[in-house]
Amino acid sequence: MVESIARVRHIRITPQKARRVVNLVRGKNAQEALAILKFAPQAAAEPIYKLVASAIANARVKADSENLRLNEDELVISRIFVDEGTTLKRFRPRAQGRAFSIKKRTSHITVAVATPDVVAEAKKGAK
């Protein structure tokens, strides 16, 4: 019935480190994912926690605008992925006039939460 998306772009976390955290919550219940992210020790867990909470709030607003009943405990993370953002290129001075490059990587993170019936329809349509 309801599917909502939340995105954060140009976040200063490397995609490789963000994917480690994203893989912990992929396919889980949204409330369970929030509990996992709250106690995950990785630095990427905090912005991903905020993003999942934002996706839940977006689903609530979407359901209210469409006059649908929404139980937030039923929401499931249907899609979550990390794309590579722009890379900030910096230089570090080294000995004898040399310069070594430093790449500060950024990420684009996307979360989609949906009710179980929407997830089931998507799986049925994919087959």
Side-chain angles (χ1 to χ4, degrees), residues 20-88:
R20 283 180 49 208
V21 178
V22 162
N23 289 337
L24 292 173
V25 297
R26 182 174 284 122
K28 296 227 183 327
N29 182 298
Q31 297 299 329
E32 183 183 346
L34 288 177
I36 291 169
L37 290 169
K38 188 170 189 170
F39 297 106
Q42 294 88 356
E46 182 183 355
I48 295 172
Y49 176 90
K50 289 181 179 181
L51 191 63
V52 171
S54 176
I56 293 170
N58 291 346
R60 185 181 324 120
V61 169
K62 189 172 182 180
D64 287 345
S65 68
E66 296 176 2
N67 292 327
L68 296 173
R69 187 188 67 77
L70 176 69
N71 185 0
E72 293 179 15
D73 295 333
E74 292 179 356
L75 289 175
V76 176
I77 295 180
S78 59
R79 289 179 290 141
I80 183 167
F81 56 90
V82 179
D83 293 327
E84 192 170 327
T86 56
T87 300
L88 305 173

